[in-house]
Amino acid sequence: MSIALVGIGKIARDQHLPAIADSDRFALAATVSGSGGIDGVENHADIAALLHARPDIPAVSLCMPPVPRFVAARAAIAAGRHVMLEKPPGASVTEVFRLERLARAAGVSLFATWHSRMAAGVAPARAWLAGKRITRLRIDWKEDVRKWHPGQDWIWQPGGLGVFDPGINALSILTELCPGALHVAEAELTFPANRDTPIAARLTFTDGAGLDATADFDWRQEGGEIWQIEIETDIGALKLTEGGARLFIDGAEQPTAGCGEYPALYRHFATLLAEGRPDVDTAPQLHVADAFLLGRRVTGAPFHD
């Protein structure tokens, strides 16, 4: 199936393009980029031009920053195209709900992706947790923003999410492992004095029954990334590291298998198209929204890229 990639930035080049190139279900037919596309691939200046010129392309994958994504997704849905959304699926929860309703009414598939859920250790971790009582949960998600988002001003602007851009990856795993079990009870958000989104966040979750559950997100990490989730239960402990790629049960590493996060996303998108259904889960984004609603704001040192 032909697919168009909209927004040719770092995530598109690092993840989407290789995944599509290796896919046996999709072929890249066109791109949309105002700053230049991909050598040998037809490029359009905006999504309106693409939709007009290429009615034969049934699916689009939107990789631009979250704030402009709603307009592009709405236009694609109105043109009868299936839509895949890079995470987070929108700049607000409300607009994602609107897109889902529009997609259902138009009879097209809408896929709100959460790539970290496709990490090799996540599915076996969920299977191991089934039937166990969680007693403690700890998330540490820390990285160097200068390494992973160099010169990307949009992340510091309203709607850019700041440290929640990577932090929502952890929350996507959390809501996969513990669907509907927790909500944010307290939050502390550290904003650089010269920025509009947080550089660090500390969250406390509750299950209403005294569970000890916290998350610590930080973009000021030096000396290597920390992307891990630790869960203690009534009959053992689980640890996911490297963003969910590695799984440990009671200290012993478990065998895992997978095709890679983004190849798995495109496989799932193909399945959705074949079955004619959407997949739109806003649970990770709801945690972020609650953190902003409940969060105590702390002003930190100015950040300069």
Side-chain angles (χ1 to χ4, degrees):
M1 179 182 293
S2 294
I3 191 168
L5 197 57
V6 182
I8 308 300
K10 180 174 171 55
I11 193 66
R13 294 182 183 276
D14 290 352
Q15 301 292 347
H16 289 264
L17 288 171
I20 294 171
D22 290 341
S23 174
D24 60 359
R25 307 183 188 194
F26 291 104
L28 183 63
T31 61
V32 173
S33 175
S35 58
I38 305 300
D39 289 344
V41 179
E42 173 186 320
N43 185 59
H44 298 269
D46 55 47
I47 193 164
L50 167 75
L51 297 173
H52 176 74
R54 296 299 304 269
D56 59 311
I57 298 177
V60 297
S61 181
L62 304 185
C63 304
M64 72 274 280
V67 170
R69 202 176 298 151
F70 173 78
V71 172
R74 182 178 60 180
I77 291 168
R81 316 302 171 91
H82 306 288
V83 177
M84 178 170 167
L85 302 169
E86 176 59 66
K87 63 87 186 174
S92 74
V93 181
T94 300
E95 67 184 37
V96 180
F97 289 150
R98 285 194 62 197
L99 289 176
E100 183 179 16
R101 291 194 296 270
L102 290 170
R104 290 184 182 278
V108 299
S109 295
L110 179 68
F111 180 24
T113 68
W114 300 107
H115 66 82
S116 290
R117 288 181 175 177
M118 302 296 184
V122 174
R126 178 170 176 164
W128 184 84
L129 283 170
K132 297 180 176 65
R133 180 174 61 86
I134 297 174
T135 57
R136 178 181 177 272
L137 184 150
R138 171 72 183 180
I139 297 173
D140 287 287
W141 221 259
K142 303 175 182 181
E143 62 185 56
D144 184 352
V145 65
R146 292 182 175 92
K147 174 181 176 180
W148 293 98
H149 292 275
Q152 296 181 6
D153 288 340
W154 64 267
I155 59 172
W156 299 111
Q157 297 167 0
L161 292 187
V163 75
F164 285 106
D165 182 81
I168 206 169
N169 295 335
L171 297 176
S172 72
I173 295 175
L174 172 65
T175 51
E176 181 74 2
L177 299 181
C178 312
L182 303 170
H183 64 270
V184 175
E186 298 177 3
E188 179 180 283
L189 311 180
T190 300
F191 287 72
N194 60 336
R195 304 289 179 167
D196 291 320
T197 57
I199 198 168
R202 294 180 178 176
L203 310 183
T204 300
F205 301 91
T206 182
D207 65 347
L211 174 65
D212 176 12
T214 58
D216 194 356
F217 306 144
D218 204 318
W219 250 349
R220 301 166 296 189
Q221 175 71 8
E222 297 180 358
E225 298 79 30
I226 300 173
W227 296 320
Q228 67 182 33
I229 299 175
E230 299 174 284
I231 300 177
E232 297 175 8
T233 76
D234 52 344
I235 52 173
L238 170 158
K239 185 175 182 180
L240 285 165
T241 67
E242 298 182 19
R246 300 175 70 185
L247 170 64
F248 298 81
I249 303 295
D250 294 329
E253 185 164 8
Q254 306 298 301
T256 58
C259 62
E261 295 177 11
Y262 279 82
L265 290 178
Y266 278 93
R267 288 187 181 187
H268 185 57
F269 190 35
T271 299
L272 295 177
L273 302 191
E275 297 176 356
R277 62 183 177 91
D279 183 352
V280 183
D281 182 10
T282 58
Q285 197 168 5
L286 288 170
H287 280 318
V288 175
D290 286 348
F292 276 101
L293 282 169
L294 294 168
R296 182 172 70 90
R297 179 172 178 139
V298 176
T299 301
F303 173 84
H304 300 285
D305 204 347

